[in-house]
Amino acid sequence: MGRAENLREGVSPQTDELASTLMGDALDLLAAGEPFEVLLAVQDSSGEVLSFEFVDDGPEACLEGARAKVRELEDAVRYALVYEGAIEDDDGSYADAAILEFGERGYHSYSAFSLVDGKGSGDGFTWTDPAPAGELPPLL
């Protein structure tokens, strides 16, 4: 009997809001052409949101650093992290995307993505509504 069997399905409104806000911030940065590796938002039991940006280590190291930060914050209740990546299309080509990972203590953790185009073009920047990308191992 593993811990994952006792986790709740779905996403609480608080986690949805945290993830949506962070994704919106990332899309704004992409539209403005502002580079980032990994953005992380963590909410604690008092409702305070802590924000982190992981840079200068390469994408994989920054992503691992963000995941480790979530695990080490003892009072963390929910988190969301976002980074740039690519999603494979049906024809085998890749499209730029903002990739979101999010979870909450006691819940399954999930990922989603929005396809993006026109980075740095301001009003010419476009994105798709977030689409589910699957379940992830929980960090909390």
Side-chain angles (χ1 to χ4, degrees):
M1 296 287 153
R3 184 177 114 183
E5 294 176 20
N6 299 320
L7 295 176
R8 294 172 64 180
E9 295 286 337
V11 179
S12 74
Q14 296 89 345
T15 299
D16 185 52
E17 180 180 344
L18 183 70
S20 296
T21 299
L22 187 64
M23 181 63 106
D25 292 347
L27 293 173
D28 288 347
L29 289 171
L30 291 169
E34 296 289 331
F36 65 90
E37 294 286 345
V38 179
L39 303 177
L40 169 65
V42 179
Q43 190 170 37
D44 66 18
S45 59
S46 71
E48 182 180 355
V49 176
L50 305 171
S51 297
F52 304 90
E53 183 173 359
F54 294 81
V55 295
D56 298 333
D57 259 347
E60 254 333 287
C62 288
L63 183 56
E64 286 309 311
R67 290 173 177 154
K69 181 57 123 178
V70 171
R71 289 186 203 100
E72 77 184 32
L73 293 171
E74 293 179 15
D75 201 27
V77 174
R78 63 187 53 85
Y79 70 93
L81 60 87
V82 66
Y83 53 94
E84 287 186 75
I87 302 295
E88 187 173 4
D89 289 335
D90 293 335
D91 66 3
S93 64
Y94 287 87
D96 289 339
I99 301 173
L100 177 71
E101 297 181 7
F102 55 96
E104 180 172 352
R105 190 175 304 283
Y107 282 78
H108 287 275
S109 296
Y110 302 98
S111 61
F113 67 92
S114 289
L115 297 177
V116 299
D117 189 48
K119 290 190 294 188
S121 62
D123 291 341
F125 177 75
T126 59
W127 67 95
T128 62
D129 287 336
E135 196 173 317
L136 296 170
L139 298 178
L140 297 174

